[in-house]
Amino acid sequence: MLAERRHQLILRALRSGGPAAVTDLSEQLGVSPATIRRDLVKLEEDGLLTRVHGGARAEEGDQPFAEVAEVRVAEKDAIAARAAALVQDGQSVLLDIGTTAYRLARQLHGRRLTVITSNLVVYEELADDEGIELVLLGGMVRREYRSLVGFLTEDNLRQLHADWLFLGTSGVRPGGQVMDTTVVEVPVKRAMIQASDKVVLLADTAKFPGTGMAKVCGPEALDVVVTNAPVDAATRSSLEEAGVEVVLAGKGPE
């Protein structure tokens, strides 16, 4: 069994059944206790679990897509509409994972665009729109989060270029750092930034400061932040110093 698959099964077991002993995980996965211990060390380094005496427990991570999709829909739609207005026909758009990127995809119907994504819900939304050239990145499927991750996704991104990246986040720190709760998504987000001319952060008011222990990038990597509420003074100052334009959904620049 590949290490990535073992890691998925370990995390699924911990999230569904609570803390588990090394011996129990070893029996469930059919591998040696020594292999499980090495897996737990790696997953703890990635911030996905905490080792305890004789076993491990899961850390809080991103909520599954279905749980987040119905939260703050009106706010996300306002942000999505404002973000979509930045894009001109004929351009290429890279859409990150997450529910706000999905709401943005819904705003792109009928446009003549190239859309590149690792977001399976975005793919499903745009698959039948013949006006859109749709590029689905390869990678390991994270079923509950409807995303593709891993070295294949990153390699694909190194071969592509986009005019715009619309980036999601779990939280934005007062210093302007963009954060994520799931370490495995961070390399993909960084590869997306490298593949794009302009980076637009989509962040509703709940993302200031939001959550997240893994840093995706600093404010200097951003060009625009589209949000639905005024940004707190400390974060606004950090963004302005980095030359980031802050746009309120439904309005012009702040």
Side-chain angles (χ1 to χ4, degrees):
M1 186 187 298
L2 294 174
E4 280 194 60
R5 179 58 175 163
R6 286 200 312 274
H7 295 172
Q8 288 181 337
L9 294 174
I10 289 169
L11 291 171
R12 185 179 300 171
L14 296 177
R15 286 169 179 160
S16 62
V22 167
T23 52
D24 292 337
L25 293 170
S26 173
E27 290 177 7
Q28 287 181 43
L29 273 64
V31 297
S32 71
T35 297
I36 293 294
R37 291 190 186 95
R38 287 194 296 271
D39 289 339
L40 296 183
V41 169
K42 177 64 169 63
L43 289 167
E44 185 174 52
E45 289 173 352
D46 289 346
L48 299 174
L49 58 73
T50 298
R51 286 185 295 160
V52 296
H53 182 68
R57 60 177 173 80
E59 287 293 332
E60 293 256 347
D62 282 338
Q63 292 174 279
F65 187 97
E67 294 180 12
V68 184
E70 303 304 320
V71 177
R72 299 187 300 278
V73 173
E75 291 88 341
K76 292 173 185 176
D77 279 342
I79 291 169
R82 187 64 184 86
L86 298 171
V87 182
Q88 298 179 6
D89 280 0
Q91 291 188 315
S92 53
V93 176
L94 185 50
L95 293 184
D96 192 13
I97 68 160
T99 57
T100 307
Y102 161 61
R103 306 306 299 188
L104 173 54
R106 291 169 60 91
Q107 299 281 339
L108 300 180
H109 281 296
R111 304 284 300 274
R112 185 173 57 82
L113 301 167
T114 297
V115 175
I116 307 162
T117 191
S118 61
N119 188 326
L120 293 172
V121 184
V122 167
Y123 166 76
E124 291 165 2
E125 178 67 28
L126 298 177
D128 294 329
D129 192 321
E130 296 183 359
I132 291 177
E133 293 287 342
L134 187 56
V135 179
L136 180 64
L137 299 168
M140 179 70 71
V141 177
R142 300 182 74 221
R143 289 179 177 83
E144 289 188 353
Y145 306 99
R146 309 305 304 279
S147 67
L148 294 155
V149 298
F151 74 92
L152 291 173
T153 319
E154 296 162 46
D155 283 350
N156 283 178
L157 285 162
R158 281 189 278 271
Q159 300 175 60
L160 296 169
H161 170 269
D163 295 308
W164 295 93
L165 164 62
F166 292 95
L167 185 69
T169 182
S170 300
V172 183
R173 295 290 178 262
Q177 298 90 354
V178 178
M179 309 300 291
D180 201 273
T181 56
T182 305
V183 173
V184 71
E185 298 283 1
V186 172
V188 175
K189 290 176 181 284
R190 289 175 178 169
M192 287 181 168
I193 291 169
Q194 292 298 314
S196 305
D197 282 344
K198 296 284 188 181
V199 179
V200 182
L201 184 69
L202 308 175
D204 62 50
T205 187
K207 304 300 175 63
F208 298 95
T211 58
M213 49 75 67
K215 179 181 174 182
V216 174
C217 67
E220 67 281 351
L222 305 177
D223 294 287
V224 182
V225 173
V226 181
T227 185
N228 65 315
V231 178
D232 65 90
T235 309
R236 178 199 294 272
S237 177
S238 298
L239 294 172
E240 288 177 347
E241 287 177 12
V244 182
E245 180 183 16
V246 178
V247 176
L248 279 177
K251 300 181 181 180
E254 287 194 275

